Amino acid sequence: GGTGIYDAGNYTKIDGNGIHWPASYGIHHASGDMVTISSNTLMGPGNYGIFVDGGSDTVYSPVVTGNMVYNPAGSVGIYPYYTQACTVSGNNIYAPTTYGIYCYESDYLSITGNNVMFGGSSVCIYLAGYNQFCTVTGNNTYSGPYGIYLSSTANDAHTITGNQCRLHSSYGLFLNDAFCSVVGNRFDASGYGIYATGNADWCTIVGNEIQYNTNWGLYLAAGSDQHAVGDNSGSISNNGAGNALSNNK
């Protein structure tokens, strides 16, 4: 059928289901608050694997944890859309066509301990727009053009810590936002380890291991200003103004 499971209730628990080759969504939750979507296996959804859909009514405190999404053929493995305080944790997403985890209009979002692997033309973790105060911690991304991508559209004050992003042909972290904290991550064997655009200002970039990248480990573009950059390993190109660089190797 078009959708494996559709739900619009409050306090719902969707747990332990196997859903194979739905034409559209694997699991589509709409509007209800405090839902838990856990330990499901989704194979080849035609559009989104798990869609937490607050488009008509913001979804508060949903939890998406411990799911496996294989080869989402349409666009997204896990998609929080108009949510508040959403937790996306401990999920495994393999071979996403476009995005592994895609987030839009979702403040206070926690993306923790997920594995997103073998993205073809995709972004593994994408904060697309209008997300504030999000935490991206302890995730592993592997292969595909982008590891973690922060859009410039009303995205600010995120915490990016303890992630490992490897073998991305373009960027391990594409940093396009202000007032972010990028601490204790590892960005290896990509085009650029971290690329900070002219929209990225006043960030803390500290204690990251940035090794074996084709171009620069950390590239601060023109207009990328007023960062605190310290104790990172890897090459640095500083084209911004007012950046404080210390103890980098």
Side-chain angles (χ1 to χ4, degrees):
T3 296
I5 295 174
Y6 176 83
D7 168 62
N10 295 303
Y11 304 99
T12 307
K13 183 165 183 155
I14 302 171
D15 180 77
N17 300 282
I19 301 169
H20 294 177
W21 310 110
S24 185
Y25 308 125
I27 297 171
H28 181 188
H29 173 79
S31 301
D33 298 330
M34 304 290 287
V35 64
T36 299
I37 301 171
S38 59
S39 302
N40 301 283
T41 300
L42 310 173
M43 179 71 73
N47 199 344
Y48 309 147
I50 298 172
F51 185 25
V52 181
D53 177 11
S56 61
D57 186 10
T58 298
V59 177
Y60 289 88
S61 302
V63 175
V64 181
T65 187
N67 301 282
M68 301 187 76
V69 184
Y70 293 95
N71 190 28
S75 54
V76 183
I78 297 173
Y79 187 1
Y81 178 69
Y82 285 88
T83 72
Q84 288 281 313
C86 178
T87 298
V88 178
S89 67
N91 301 283
N92 294 294
I93 303 170
Y94 296 99
T97 302
T98 310
Y99 305 107
I101 299 169
Y102 182 99
C103 311
Y104 186 84
E105 194 82 45
S106 292
D107 296 339
Y108 302 99
L109 177 70
S110 175
I111 302 173
T112 305
N114 302 281
N115 298 305
V116 186
M117 306 289 184
F118 304 110
S121 60
S122 71
V123 180
C124 289
I125 298 173
Y126 189 12
L127 301 189
Y130 302 96
N131 305 288
Q132 304 282 337
F133 309 109
C134 297
T135 300
V136 181
T137 300
N139 302 282
N140 296 304
T141 70
Y142 182 88
S143 186
Y146 299 90
I148 300 170
Y149 189 114
L150 307 184
S151 165
S152 63
T153 308
N155 262 335
D156 291 311
H158 301 311
T159 300
I160 313 296
T161 61
N163 302 283
Q164 296 191 39
C165 302
R166 293 186 170 123
L167 286 174
H168 297 290
S169 57
S170 296
Y171 309 101
L173 170 63
F174 192 78
L175 182 60
N176 213 7
D177 304 323
F179 304 106
C180 292
S181 178
V182 181
V183 178
N185 303 279
R186 183 165 187 158
F187 302 106
D188 288 346
S190 298
Y192 292 85
I194 301 172
Y195 188 100
T197 74
N199 295 310
D201 298 310
W202 299 100
C203 294
T204 299
I205 304 172
V206 172
N208 301 284
E209 294 185 35
I210 315 170
Q211 303 278 353
Y212 313 116
N213 297 285
T214 305
N215 297 303
W216 292 93
L218 169 59
Y219 187 90
L220 304 176
S224 188
D225 304 330
Q226 304 298 331
H227 300 301
V229 180
D231 297 307
N232 301 286
S233 63
S235 59
I236 296 175
S237 178
N238 178 21
N239 302 287
N243 296 310
L245 278 65
S246 63
N247 299 321
N248 298 287
K249 306 179 186 73

